[in-house]
Structures are given as structure tokens and as C-alpha cells.
Amino acid sequence: MAAERTFAMLKPGVLSRRVVGEIISKIERKGFKIIGLKMMNVTIELAERQYAEHKGKSFYLDLLEYIASGPVVVMVLEADQAIKLFRLLCGSTSPEQALPGTIRGDYAMHTSINIIHASDSKESAVREIDLFFRPEELIDWEDGNQKWI
Ligand code: CMP
């Protein structure tokens, strides 16, 4: 099966809570290959582009303000079926429905601050990776573990 790429963002507050390492551990333990990783501040303009599909919704302005409120950690993850499997690992958008054991199920209490973002389709993954990473920031590496994962 061809490896797929997806985009992930640990939203503002994750650094403050000192759980970046725990969440990245869950992602690595599942078997995702991290091929891009950085910490950054998101401007309102960048948040508008990331969340353009939600423009006009009741939570849109609060979402922009929140995403721009503090540093985030963004990642590009690679795996077979990366988009679907990473969304499963994150759990439902609403922490009320996210099962224990998922990232949102274990670390989030409210939809508006649901701790992590995951691309929802191939098109979104391509668009979001392109928004947040330059091609030279993505590192294609092999360690021989592929057959176990
Ligand atoms: P995310 O996966 O980053 O994609 C869009 C974000 O909008 C979502 O996570 C939530 O943080 C936020 N969001 C979606 N629905 C609601 C809602 N009903 N109320 C508040 N925030 C929401």
C-alpha cells in the first residue's frame, strides 16, 4: 500500500500543559513516521487560510483567535492510510464523543479547544502541508522498521 501523508497540529495550550512529548509519543507508538516537525506562531491570516471552510460558522472567529493565541507544533506524518488512521487516533472532534485512549478522549474537555488538528481528506492534507511547510522542511528517511509497521 502506498504511504500517505497527513498534517497534524498540536494546538495552543499543549505546550503550556507540558504534554507535547506525551502526545508525540502516542503518534510514534502507533507507527506514524514523522517527516516534518516544527514549533511556530500562527497569524490570524494563516489561521483564516487553514480554516477557510469554516468561515461564517458560529465558532469561526473564536477558532481563529484561539489558533493564533500561542505557539503550536505542526507535523507531517506518513503511513499507509495516514489520514484515516491519524483521525482515529485523535478521536472525535467533540471530546464528549472522543473515546478514552484517543488523544482528544484523553486530553481534551471542549470542542473549541480540542487539543489537536488532523487533516480530514487527501485534498486537505495536501493543502495544509503546503500552507505550513516548505518542501525542503520535509525529510524523507528510512530506518528499516517499515516491515513491522
Ligand atoms: P479541528 O479538527 O481543528 O477542525 C475545525 C475546528 O473547529 C475543530 O477542530 C474545533 O476546534 C472547532 N470546532 C468545530 N466545531 C465546533 C463547535 N461546534 N464549537 C466550537 N468549535 C468547533
Side-chain angles (χ1 to χ4, degrees):
M1 193 175 285
E4 191 175 65
R5 290 180 178 182
T6 192
F7 172 76
M9 174 191 283
L10 306 186
K11 296 180 180 181
V14 179
L15 282 150
S16 310
R17 290 171 63 186
R18 312 292 201 261
V19 292
V20 169
E22 288 179 29
I23 295 173
I24 291 179
S25 284
K26 284 175 87 93
I27 293 169
E28 286 192 296
R29 209 164 54 207
K30 171 73 178 173
F32 291 100
K33 184 162 98 175
I34 299 173
I35 62 165
L37 174 70
K38 65 182 174 183
M39 180 176 154
M40 62 186 286
N41 284 308
V42 179
T43 61
I44 291 282
E45 293 71 30
L46 181 54
E48 281 174 341
R49 294 179 68 190
Q50 181 189 359
Y51 286 118
E53 68 181 287
H54 296 296
K55 191 169 181 179
K57 293 185 183 165
S58 57
F59 56 84
Y60 177 67
L61 294 178
D62 287 342
L63 176 62
L64 299 186
E65 195 181 326
Y66 167 52
I67 294 297
S69 69
V72 301
V73 173
V74 288
M75 283 174 274
V76 178
L77 308 174
E78 199 173 85
D80 294 340
Q81 301 192 81
I83 296 166
K84 181 178 178 190
L85 293 184
F86 186 55
R87 286 178 70 78
L88 277 174
L89 182 64
C90 289
S92 295
T93 301
S94 163
E96 287 160 32
Q97 287 162 24
L99 295 174
T102 64
I103 293 170
R104 288 170 178 150
D106 286 352
Y107 291 92
M109 295 290 278
H110 302 287
T111 305
S112 57
I113 47 171
N114 63 358
I115 202 164
I116 193 161
H117 172 79
S119 302
D120 64 3
S121 64
K122 276 185 199 248
E123 295 70 30
S124 300
V126 169
R127 189 177 61 79
E128 291 170 339
I129 291 168
D130 190 50
L131 261 183
F132 284 88
F133 286 89
R134 296 192 304 274
E136 63 270 25
E137 290 178 310
L138 302 181
I139 297 173
D140 205 3
W141 54 275
E142 292 298 339
D143 64 357
N145 270 327
Q146 194 56 28
K147 64 176 182 291
W148 308 114
I149 295 168

